[in-house]
Amino acid sequence: MDTRQRKSSASFVAQKRRGPNTLRDKPNGSQNAQRSYERYLALAQAQILAGDTVGAENYYQHAEHFFRSMSSHPGST
């Protein structure tokens, strides 16, 4: 429990150092899902071209997760 407290306080200090002007805008979750979906599809295709069907299936499963995430929030894109 003590480790968690140190970790969270360390991240708080790191955020404080950046200052308020360096805070990033929070991107739209649906856009991130679509970008990740496309990225994992591309990685799967690259694995297929390399002859690694197991690796491709892994990436396809990741892509499916993001596809479902996009499908559960229609109208967000």
Side-chain angles (χ1 to χ4, degrees):
M1 192 186 291
D2 199 24
T3 306
R4 275 192 211 162
Q5 288 175 348
R6 278 190 224 130
K7 186 176 180 181
S8 63
S9 64
S11 65
F12 176 75
V13 170
Q15 288 175 352
K16 198 111 159 105
R17 246 184 251 144
R18 287 187 215 132
N21 295 331
T22 59
L23 294 177
R24 298 180 204 155
D25 292 331
K26 293 184 179 181
N28 186 344
S30 178
Q31 289 176 352
N32 282 343
Q34 183 174 0
R35 185 176 20 217
S36 295
Y37 170 71
E38 292 168 357
R39 187 182 95 197
Y40 282 113
L41 280 181
L43 288 169
Q45 290 298 320
Q47 291 297 312
I48 289 289
L49 292 175
D52 184 5
T53 56
V54 174
E57 183 62 30
N58 180 35
Y59 286 129
Y60 280 131
Q61 288 177 1
H62 281 79
E64 182 183 13
H65 164 75
F66 289 107
F67 178 79
R68 289 176 188 261
S69 178
M70 290 186 305
S71 298
S72 68
H73 296 93
S76 295
T77 53

